[in-house]
Amino acid sequence: MALELERHLVLNKYFLHLFGAKDFNDIRMKLWDISEEGYERGRSYFIDVLIGLKPDCESQLLRYDEAIREYTERLRNNRMQHDFTLKYFQYLAVLFTEIFLDKYHNEKERNVFLNELNTFLNEFNDKNGTEITPFTEEDLKKLAFWMATGSGKTLIMHINYWQILRYSNNDWDNIILITPNEGLSDQHYRELVQSGIPCELYDGNAYSIGTNGEKILVIDIHKLTKEKKGEGVSVDVSSFDGKNLVFIDEGHKGQKSEEQKWKRLREEIGKNGFIFEYSATFGQIIGKNKDLLDEYSKSIIFDYSYKYFYTDGYGKDFYVYNIKEDIYSDEQRSLLLTAGLLSFYEQLEIFEKEKDEIRKYNIEKPLWVFVGSKVAGKGINSDVVRVIKFLNKVLSNENYLKENVKKILARETGLVDELGNDIFEGKFEYIRKLDIDYIIDAIYRKVFYGKGTLELYELKEASGEIGLKTSITPEGNYFGVINVGDVGSLKKLIPESGQEIKKDNFTPSLFSEINENDSQVNLLIGSKKFIEGWDSYRVSNMGLINMGKGEGPQIIQLFGRGVRLKGENNSLKREENPSYEV
């Protein structure tokens, strides 16, 4: 599906062709190893390369480069990140936008720009066998950014805000940032404040709707409605009459009927103004929908989707096991869950024993995450309850764990790939040399902080959280936390697994402190609520249960949660030739 959209990205290809590039790789190869550090003679190293590609536009490009330097310094100073620089792909995203807005807001240039786009479009359609409809002025009222999770979409959004205020003279009736949920609204509000951008988080008060001036109103899509009836926190879109500047983060979430309704609401608000939209999953959402394909082919100005992000060495390396539930026995499913536990334990061992080497890469303590498609379900089939049952069996039956680990390390699982090789061939090399008894003992000590049976505690001081600990825990630490939206339904299912839920009236939220350096939580179990609105560099091992059969948007979003990496000198990059592998 992503390939179909890539083939249609005519606006993106237009801006690439301005610099003589047929595709992104052409320009990528010229910029990706250019120094990002500072400016030479008052200009970036990137712009020198780009001027070499388009020497007849040197004065214009230098003007754009100076504007980008101002945006970058504003971020650097406001966020107190004095070593902050734009990566080459971020620079290009901002530069393309600067060129677009300059042409769009110049009335003499706009018609010329539109004609240039359509001339390019005609050639593009002929060459690629596409049938994209001609650009109109309406098409120029939206820009979209298809960028991988972790590639800096949020900071690009902040720069886009300063860019359009520069070119539009801030003649907006409202400036609105629409998010998929309250969690992301909170996150965006904090990020905007950190960047020094005036903003307000919608709190249900009707008086906060009018933003005036340069202030951004942050609101989630669930609070927008049409023809509102009665009281409540929802806002009728008619409240935003006028010329509005709208920013949309990951707008395509929910069932198809919901997405269609949400899109109509967003378009209604932005119809007389301008829209910026950001997503890591345009390719998966749009698919072969002809109308969406036509619309976004003409609005996606920059494509830095995950394949480019990974190829450039950003984010963690990974390997994936796709498990087809119906072809494995209960024993094999048990081995797969044990392999997840063993992999996480190996990551802990490396983190502890290679601390000096790891520190320079800003790698944080590993975190094991399980995500299920549902919390409530019919009887014992709830995804979360299945994990709870597995954990209880591991904790209460040491021989069960030991036998499973032996089979995995001996490559005797019966689980093979399409070539007939054991799927764990070449894995667990770091711990394979260790004594089996040491491994088992270390798993209990380092992952679970003890042995015995699994104990569950509802944390009364933390809404939606259930803490996990063992019955024999010398320090009394919780090793894990379940964080779900519907605790009531889960509490009804858990007794069927042989567990009971006790109460803890004093322990504060484990989830809110999971990113702290002293967090003892090793395991996070939750539902799809983690798809948006939660950022962590700790995630090192992820189990997805019943989350889909293909590369859908939810899978891509969750995957992005796991591969985030600060890297050496906050470069976001992984080591190309690591001295050890997990």
Side-chain angles (χ1 to χ4, degrees), residues 481-510:
V481 60
I482 301 172
N483 188 327
V484 295
D486 187 1
V487 170
S489 296
L490 182 59
K491 285 169 66 177
K492 293 176 183 177
L493 290 175
I494 285 177
E496 298 182 35
S497 68
Q499 303 292 129
E500 64 172 317
I501 299 182
K502 303 175 184 179
K503 292 183 180 179
D504 181 336
N505 295 314
F506 304 105
T507 300
S509 169
L510 296 173

Side-chain angles (χ1 to χ4, degrees), residues 349-364:
E349 281 283 352
I350 292 175
F351 181 77
E352 292 177 3
K353 292 183 178 179
E354 308 286 349
K355 231 168 195 175
D356 291 339
E357 177 70 15
I358 282 173
R359 187 178 292 114
K360 69 179 181 181
Y361 297 103
N362 294 303
I363 294 175
E364 299 185 9

